[in-house]
Amino acid sequence: MSPIILYAELLLHIPQVTLFATLPSHCNESTRVDISSDRGFVSVSHGGDTATIELPSPVPPDAKLILPATKTKDLHFRLKLSEGSRFTPHSDIALDNDCPWPASSLTCDTQIACRSCKTILVANTVTTWKDLPSENWAEMMDFWHCHKPDTHEYDASGTQGFAKGYNASSRLGATPGVGLVDICHVLLSQQDCQGIQRKRLHQPFLECVSCHELVGIEDERLQGLRLDKWSLSLRSAKEMDWTVCAIQTLICAQLLALIASQATHKFIAYSGTIEYTTDAILLWVFTPDLRYSTSFGPGGPKRALKILYQKVSDPAYILEKQGMRVDELELPDYVLYALYADLQASKSILPVSARKLQNWDVGLLER
């Protein structure tokens, strides 16, 4: 690998690409920065070594990269986007949210297994898959409808409107043969599942009978088993390979859904009971849609969330202090640790100068 490290990012709210280059020694007469003829790649040469990356978006033909007059190892350039770029400051694709394993991708041949040991948990027992609406779907109907249709149907107590199926007392529930899917979970009837048992008596947590890894909880309100996607493997047929969802992809989808529904960009990620936990992460989704390229590893531009984060020891106090400006994100302990590990690992691809912002650490989560 070339000792030259390149990193480029495109922020949708700023119509420009920012390019960072870190050299093994101060720039000199051998240092060159070139843009390809198609305006889509940048190459940096220094001391006989060359590194090249694909830019997150092409730049105009008149774009120029001028080396600084001072001797430095860290180069920094800003390039405007080409006219007609599909990435614009007002793009509405920033919060589009491709949920992993949506109901449309699942069939009657779909099998679900424990992620750790591949013990079968659901074996062709579900014939219909449906996307689960958000938890507050019934309450939100009052906002979605400026006028509810008249109804002449009453329940036994004489209360009107129950037949519409969307007032707050109308709850979704698990049904045999039907799987309900949301961003991070799959809700199933108990009779459609196998290989699952309670982790402890009188507690709702569910574990795999073979490896005893946590796979979900028993949801008494919806009368079913809510399995966590990050604990599962899935295949579309017996002869197919097992697939898994990356934890950071699921977290990204969950954060984007919360931003869209709660209009907040700060979250406390924790495990257990928030009043008693001393190990949590304060997350600030600084950029919900970042396009970036790096000379670390293969592949072209990637899509990510730029996250500012801090480890905190008193999350309940932060929630009380900041109120509505911070939302909760409760996660299993191993998912919380994986989230922090992914954020820490992502710092290695960022330039040293871009790894901190005041008292925040900066990381990326791939979408």
Side-chain angles (χ1 to χ4, degrees):
M1 179 183 290
S2 171
I4 303 170
I5 300 172
L6 302 181
Y7 173 82
E9 66 179 24
L10 165 64
L11 304 179
L12 286 185
H13 62 282
I14 303 175
Q16 65 182 15
V17 173
T18 303
L19 172 66
F20 297 88
T22 303
L23 309 176
S25 59
H26 291 123
C27 59
N28 51 41
E29 62 278 358
S30 70
T31 307
R32 287 179 51 86
V33 183
D34 299 300
I35 304 176
S36 63
S37 58
D38 63 2
R39 321 308 289 175
F41 292 80
V42 165
S43 297
V44 178
S45 301
H46 175 78
D49 294 305
T50 300
T52 301
I53 61 169
E54 181 180 355
L55 294 172
S57 179
V59 295
D62 60 350
K64 295 180 180 180
L65 298 173
I66 301 175
L67 292 171
T70 57
K71 301 296 183 181
T72 178
K73 293 182 181 180
D74 299 314
L75 307 180
H76 182 201
F77 307 95
R78 295 186 186 276
L79 301 167
K80 292 183 179 180
L81 298 186
S82 295
E83 290 187 10
S85 171
R86 66 188 185 94
F87 304 125
T88 66
H90 305 291
S91 175
D92 59 359
I93 62 176
L95 290 179
D96 68 330
N97 196 359
D98 295 327
C99 173
W101 295 349
S104 59
S105 69
L106 309 179
T107 70
C108 58
D109 295 320
T110 296
Q111 294 186 328
I112 296 176
C114 170
R115 183 180 184 132
S116 297
C117 68
K118 301 302 184 290
T119 293
I120 299 292
L121 307 181
V122 180
N124 308 119
T125 51
V126 178
T127 57
T128 304
W129 296 92
K130 299 180 180 180
D131 287 314
L132 191 66
S134 62
E135 272 188 47
N136 61 340
W137 67 276
E139 291 80 0
M140 287 302 294
M141 292 301 294
D142 289 331
F143 298 96
W144 293 335
H145 287 247
C146 59
H147 174 69
K148 292 182 180 179
D150 292 333
T151 178
H152 300 289
E153 297 187 44
Y154 294 80
D155 71 350
S157 64
T159 302
Q160 190 177 24
F162 282 79
K164 291 299 176 185
Y166 60 65
N167 68 41
S169 64
S170 298
R171 297 285 185 186
L172 289 174
T175 304
V178 178
L180 300 177
V181 184
D182 68 10
I183 292 173
C184 294
H185 309 97
V186 180
L187 180 69
L188 298 160
S189 168
Q190 187 167 356
Q191 69 186 66
D192 289 330
C193 300
Q194 63 187 56
I196 298 173
Q197 64 187 14
R198 281 180 179 264
K199 196 169 184 68
R200 295 184 183 87
L201 194 62
H202 307 306
Q203 289 191 3
F205 303 108
L206 304 173
E207 66 177 10
C208 170
V209 296
S210 299
C211 65
H212 304 291
E213 289 291 330
L214 189 69
V215 295
I217 65 169
E218 184 174 357
D219 193 324
E220 293 184 357
R221 184 173 64 89
L222 297 180
Q223 300 179 334
L225 307 185
R226 185 152 55 92
L227 306 184
D228 302 324
K229 287 183 180 179
W230 41 60
S231 300
L232 306 177
S233 299
L234 181 146
R235 64 184 178 188
S236 54
K238 282 185 178 180
E239 63 274 9
M240 303 295 288
D241 293 331
W242 291 105
T243 62
V244 298
C245 286
I247 287 178
Q248 64 176 290
T249 302
L250 289 167
I251 296 295
C252 282
Q254 193 168 14
L255 290 173
L256 289 170
L258 288 170
I259 290 172
S261 64
Q262 306 297 330
T264 182
H265 284 68
K266 288 186 178 180
F267 306 89
I268 282 284
Y270 67 95
S271 178
T273 305
I274 195 166
E275 289 81 6
Y276 302 108
T277 185
T278 58
D279 189 13
I281 311 171
L282 179 59
L283 305 171
W284 180 2
V285 182
F286 192 69
T287 305
D289 199 1
L290 173 78
R291 264 72 173 186
Y292 77 95
S293 305
T294 176
S295 56
F296 278 101
K302 297 178 176 63
R303 195 177 182 192
L305 273 64
K306 177 176 275 191
I307 305 285
L308 308 186
Y309 65 100
Q310 300 172 345
K311 290 294 288 287
V312 294
S313 59
D314 194 354
Y317 172 75
I318 292 176
L319 274 180
E320 181 181 354
K321 182 180 177 181
Q322 302 206 19
M324 298 296 291
R325 292 180 296 171
V326 177
D327 207 349
E328 296 183 41
L329 183 64
E330 184 180 0
L331 301 170
D333 52 3
Y334 72 94
V335 175
L336 185 68
Y337 299 148
L339 169 61
Y340 186 71
D342 286 337
L343 286 169
Q344 288 288 92
S346 71
K347 293 174 66 175
S348 64
I349 69 174
L350 294 173
V352 174
S353 59
R355 295 177 185 176
K356 295 281 290 186
L357 182 62
Q358 298 179 2
N359 59 337
W360 295 85
D361 288 309
V362 182
L364 304 175
L365 291 178
E366 285 194 27
R367 293 182 58 168

